[in-house]
């Protein structure tokens, strides 16, 4: 059994989350060369969990393993971002329609709780926190669809979008815009209006595309 930290996470999971966070928030820049010793120092963890975390991140496309050299942070690809956006547009519009039909008071309360920290994140220009709110809001909607296969597909797409999110949406005006788009979508879901929810998520994704095209 893998050793665990006091919060119950394995050391590998802790290493994975720490390195991934640094990649997503661009503390580790696209194209940067890394080695295990460097990551052991930054995470405070041993060689085995760091090694395992690096290979997991490579499978997810965030690192490129370089034989005998360590690893490289995967470059940011505009084509990859646009492909993810296209797949999200097709699947997420359907997802919010399902969620609008199925949403219970408990589902809506969970979404409201996720969005509750948005104003503070905007005021403090906490891009990382706003990014987490965006991810968690979309995950809550996916769960509400009651389609587990669709939810898992979208979870993967949102995880792959996080680095692009941080790159493209880092100004206060953009953060405010994202919050307003979230509120519009939430109101449509609360009204159980599937068509309005489809329009809201489509606008949200198109805004993301617009900022990506400006940033990359």
């Amino acid at each position: 059994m893998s050793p665990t930290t006091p919060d119950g996470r394995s050391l590998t999971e802790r290493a994975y989350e720490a390195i991934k966070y640094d990649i997503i928030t661009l503390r580790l820049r696209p194209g940067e060369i890394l080695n295990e010793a460097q990551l052991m120092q930054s995470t405070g963890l041993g060689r085995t969990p760091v090694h395992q975390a690096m290979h997991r991140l490579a499978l997810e496309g965030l690192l490129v393993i370089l034989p005998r050299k360590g690893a490289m942070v995967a470059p940011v690809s505009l084509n990859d971002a646009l492909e993810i956006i296209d797949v999200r547009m097709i699947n997420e519009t359907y997802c919010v329609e399902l969620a609008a039909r199925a949403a219970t008071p408990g589902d809506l309360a969970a979404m409201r709780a996720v969005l509750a920290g948005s104003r503070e994140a905007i005021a403090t220009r906490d891009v990382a926190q706003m990014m987490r709110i965006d991810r968690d809001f979309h995950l809550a909607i996916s769960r509400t669809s009651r389609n587990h296969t669709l939810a898992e597909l979208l979870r993967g797409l949102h995880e792959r979008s996080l680095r692009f999110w941080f790159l493209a949406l880092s100004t206060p005006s953009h953060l405010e815009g994202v919050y307003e788009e979230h509120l519009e979508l939430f109101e449509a879901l609360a009204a159980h209006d599937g068509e309005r929810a489809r329009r809201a998520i489509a606008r949200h994704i198109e805004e993301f595309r617009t900022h990506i095209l400006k940033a990359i």
Side-chain angles (χ1 to χ4, degrees), residues 82-100 138 141-143 145-158 160 185 194 197-198 201-202 205 209:
L82 295 179
E83 286 184 357
I84 291 169
I85 288 168
D86 286 341
V87 178
R88 280 187 60 190
M89 183 67 78
I90 294 168
N91 290 279
E92 208 158 353
T93 48
Y94 178 55
C95 178
V96 298
E97 185 173 4
L98 294 179
H138 286 281
I141 295 171
S142 297
R143 288 192 296 269
S145 75
R146 305 296 190 269
N147 184 316
H148 298 299
T149 301
L150 181 59
E152 185 60 22
L153 169 67
L154 289 173
R155 185 198 65 77
L157 291 172
H158 290 137
R160 291 177 61 188
L185 178 54
R198 288 178 69 98
I201 195 64
I205 296 171
R209 187 199 308 269

Side-chain angles (χ1 to χ4, degrees), residues 127-145:
V127 179
Q129 177 61 12
M130 198 65 182
M131 177 185 67
R132 286 190 289 268
I133 289 170
D134 182 77
R135 178 197 62 192
D136 292 347
F137 181 55
H138 286 281
L139 289 176
I141 295 171
S142 297
R143 288 192 296 269
T144 301
S145 75

Side-chain angles (χ1 to χ4, degrees), residues 93 96 184-185 193-204:
T93 48
V96 298
E184 180 182 12
L185 178 54
D193 189 334
E195 183 54 38
R196 181 181 168 194
R198 288 178 69 98
R199 293 195 301 268
I201 195 64
R203 281 194 290 271
H204 184 50

Side-chain angles (χ1 to χ4, degrees), residues 57-74:
L57 290 164
L59 288 173
E60 294 180 2
L62 290 174
L63 287 180
V64 178
I65 300 298
L66 305 173
R68 297 180 297 279
K69 294 182 180 180
M72 178 180 71
V73 179

